[in-house]
């Protein structure tokens, strides 16, 4: 059973930085994807696969960096120069690619970690 667990959220002031972490377990395959999503609508923020391919939404691309440490099965999201608009619950989700659809099939999601940015 695939499981993910997020950590690293918090309350910070605008302009600060935070790093979110997500640890995944239970994958029987060495190929998978991990991504960060925000809010109830699960807005896609950034996704990376085990081959190093990634996609980050344009609105945060110059401030957020996603990285995957495969040796530790841990995903990170380095968030710099945070703004009030970045406030929300950030969810980590494990996915796999299927039928040439890159990182589209969800396998497991976490409970979320709250990020609150004040002005």
């Amino acid at each position: 059973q695939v499981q993910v667990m997020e950590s690293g959220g918090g309350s910070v002031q605008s302009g600060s930085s935070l790093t979110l972490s997500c640890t995944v377990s239970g994958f029987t395959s060495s190929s998978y994807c991990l991504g960060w999503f925000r809010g109830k609508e699960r807005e896609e923020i950034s996704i990376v696969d085990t081959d190093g391919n990634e996609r980050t939404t344009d609105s945060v691309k110059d401030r957020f960096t996603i990285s995957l440490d495969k040796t530790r099965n841990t995903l990170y999201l380095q968030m710099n120069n945070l703004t009030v608009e970045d406030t929300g619950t950030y969810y980590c989700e494990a996915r796999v690619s299927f039928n040439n659809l890159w990182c589209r099939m969800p396998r497991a999601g976490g409970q979320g970690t709250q990020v609150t940015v004040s002005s």
Side-chain angles (χ1 to χ4, degrees), residues 61-73:
K61 189 173 292 186
D62 60 343
R63 298 183 296 116
F64 291 9
T65 302
I66 193 169
S67 61
L68 175 62
D69 185 341
K70 292 187 287 185
T71 64
R72 298 182 177 182
N73 293 329

Side-chain angles (χ1 to χ4, degrees), residues 37-110:
F37 301 81
R38 183 170 64 200
K40 292 181 180 179
E41 301 80 15
R42 296 299 196 271
E43 174 192 8
E44 180 185 311
I45 301 300
S46 192
I47 300 177
V48 63
D49 69 14
T50 48
D51 290 330
N53 303 301
E54 67 171 85
R55 179 174 68 207
T56 300
T57 190
D58 287 343
S59 62
V60 303
K61 189 173 292 186
D62 60 343
R63 298 183 296 116
F64 291 9
T65 302
I66 193 169
S67 61
L68 175 62
D69 185 341
K70 292 187 287 185
T71 64
R72 298 182 177 182
N73 293 329
T74 301
L75 177 74
Y76 301 98
L77 185 68
Q78 174 67 42
M79 305 186 293
N80 297 325
N81 195 21
L82 285 161
T83 71
V84 173
E85 288 72 30
D86 297 320
T87 294
T89 303
Y90 285 71
Y91 298 90
C92 178
E93 189 171 271
R95 294 183 169 190
V96 295
S97 300
F98 180 74
N99 280 356
N100 292 323
L101 297 175
W102 183 75
C103 298
R104 285 290 298 274
M105 178 172 288
R107 292 295 305 275

Side-chain angles (χ1 to χ4, degrees), residues 13-32:
Q13 290 192 323
S14 181
S16 300
S17 298
L18 277 176
T19 301
L20 306 182
S21 301
C22 170
T23 302
V24 63
S25 62
F27 265 115
T28 56
S29 170
S30 61
S31 296
Y32 56 86

